[in-house]
Amino acid sequence: MLTDTGERVIPEKMKITNELLLEHIARYHFASKYVHGRVLDLPVVPARLFAKKCNQQVSEVIGVDIDQEAVKYAQSTYYHPLTTYLKEDVTDPQLPEKLGKLDSLNQQFLVQMNIIHLDYW
């Protein structure tokens, strides 16, 4: 089980009325209207929520997190056929080459409170 440090959204550890959980769900609902193809989601844990919401227009959701524990947890808990979970540093200048092209004229990504997942923060 992923350690609950207070800043992550771990749906199975939260009441459905939890404001942080509701805020995350609302963001995914909003973003689902605007994305398609390959989408980058930072950090990884709730990526499956997005893949389920956008099943028609999204071909892949790539969840990236610097924390290996979070990546393993997401892989084992939040499987969805459209998700890929990777341990990567979002500040790595080589990350775009590692991930490949995302779809649309503007590369599509979702960032939710990602600053807390940076190594040096």
Side-chain angles (χ1 to χ4, degrees):
M1 181 60 94
L2 187 61
T3 303
D4 185 0
T5 58
E7 86 279 0
R8 288 196 182 272
V9 172
I10 307 173
E12 62 276 4
K13 287 188 172 186
M14 302 171 120
K15 292 181 180 181
I16 192 64
T17 57
N18 181 291
E19 290 181 11
L20 183 59
L21 177 60
L22 292 172
E23 180 183 339
H24 270 64
I25 292 170
R27 283 190 209 145
Y28 280 118
H29 180 74
F30 173 80
S32 69
K33 300 173 187 174
Y34 302 101
V35 299
H36 65 277
R38 294 182 78 223
V39 179
L40 177 60
D41 190 15
L42 311 169
V44 299
V45 172
R48 176 195 61 134
L49 295 172
F50 194 63
K52 287 177 72 174
K53 176 70 180 157
C54 299
N55 208 1
Q56 300 300 322
Q57 65 266 26
V58 170
S59 61
E60 182 181 18
V61 176
I62 306 163
V64 173
D65 202 303
I66 199 166
D67 182 0
Q68 184 63 43
E69 180 186 7
V71 172
K72 286 181 181 179
Y73 180 76
Q75 288 169 330
S76 64
T77 307
Y78 298 121
Y79 170 80
H80 187 279
L82 299 179
T83 58
T84 302
Y85 299 104
L86 304 171
K87 182 195 178 294
E88 295 289 347
D89 182 348
V90 298
T91 63
D92 178 0
Q94 303 303 314
L95 187 59
E97 288 85 31
K98 292 177 184 179
L99 297 177
K101 183 168 176 11
L102 302 174
D103 288 306
S104 87
L105 294 175
N106 297 316
Q107 300 226 351
Q108 298 177 32
F109 59 94
L110 299 171
V111 178
Q112 297 199 40
M113 297 180 241
N114 201 49
I115 199 165
I116 59 173
H117 301 287
L118 300 178
D119 250 350
Y120 58 88
W121 188 253

